[in-house]
Amino acid sequence: MIRKIKKDNRELETIMDIWLQATIIAHPFIEEEYWRKNYIQVKENYLPNSDTYLYIEESKVIGFISIINEEFIGALFVSPEQQRCGVGEKLINFAKQKYSKLTLAVYSENKNAVLFYKKMGFEILQKQLNEDSHVEEFVMHIKNA
């Protein structure tokens, strides 16, 4: 089941745990401390300013997607033990149905994520340096028409 977050402390803490675990694993080319320092920023600034949808299985949150400004995928994370089980694909397909245009930024060194997004129909628009980490990323997009 996919539903909008209630934004209560329990659900927020759950997705922040998923975010921290999954992001550290997915980005070994960035120091773990960088993510830990950004934890509060994500929790208090990014998530409250996005539409966040949870993927729930057997009453447990195992993944989420956050959409900023009805277009930008600011986060797509799945609990590490549930990855490669189709959860990310279901969240992207949900977003495709709900939003007419989707864009995202993904680190170019995160090869698995880049391949996943390409498989889901995204294409690279440009390369740029991430403003915060100064690591190269791809801006990708898909149009639902």
Side-chain angles (χ1 to χ4, degrees):
M1 170 178 78
I2 297 174
R3 70 161 169 78
K4 197 164 190 174
I5 190 171
K6 294 177 184 169
K7 295 193 181 180
D8 65 21
N9 282 339
R10 196 178 98 248
E11 287 188 348
L12 190 55
E13 291 301 323
T14 298
I15 67 169
M16 286 306 300
D17 287 346
I18 292 170
W19 174 82
L20 186 60
Q21 290 176 38
T23 203
I24 288 169
I25 291 169
H27 306 101
F29 47 89
I30 296 176
E31 292 291 324
E32 183 176 323
E33 189 60 26
Y34 171 81
W35 303 114
R36 294 192 181 282
K37 285 180 181 176
N38 281 287
Y39 182 95
I40 297 298
Q41 176 81 350
V42 171
K43 183 178 179 181
E44 294 180 359
N45 294 323
Y46 292 125
L47 286 175
N49 292 311
S50 67
D51 292 323
T52 298
Y53 300 91
L54 310 178
Y55 185 90
I56 300 170
E57 198 169 86
E58 296 179 10
S59 301
K60 184 178 178 186
V61 176
I62 59 173
F64 71 97
I65 189 168
S66 295
I67 310 293
I68 300 168
N69 296 328
E70 304 222 351
E71 173 187 346
F72 186 79
I73 299 174
L76 172 64
F77 290 97
V78 177
S79 179
E81 60 272 6
Q82 298 292 328
Q83 291 180 1
R84 302 195 189 285
C85 296
V87 175
E89 186 173 334
K90 289 175 184 171
L91 286 165
I92 289 289
N93 286 334
F94 172 84
K96 283 177 169 180
Q97 291 176 358
K98 191 160 182 62
Y99 301 95
S100 61
K101 182 179 176 187
L102 292 170
T103 61
L104 59 89
V106 60
Y107 288 110
S108 59
E109 288 186 56
N110 189 347
K111 306 289 187 210
N112 289 336
V114 172
L115 289 173
F116 167 76
Y117 289 123
K118 284 182 176 180
K119 176 185 158 198
M120 296 304 301
F122 286 81
E123 60 186 15
I124 297 170
L125 285 176
Q126 68 184 44
K127 287 184 198 178
Q128 65 186 24
L129 284 183
N130 179 279
E131 288 181 23
D132 296 324
S133 66
H134 306 291
V135 175
E136 182 183 82
E137 64 185 5
F138 295 135
V139 175
M140 302 180 79
H141 83 125
I142 188 170
K143 289 185 180 180
N144 300 332

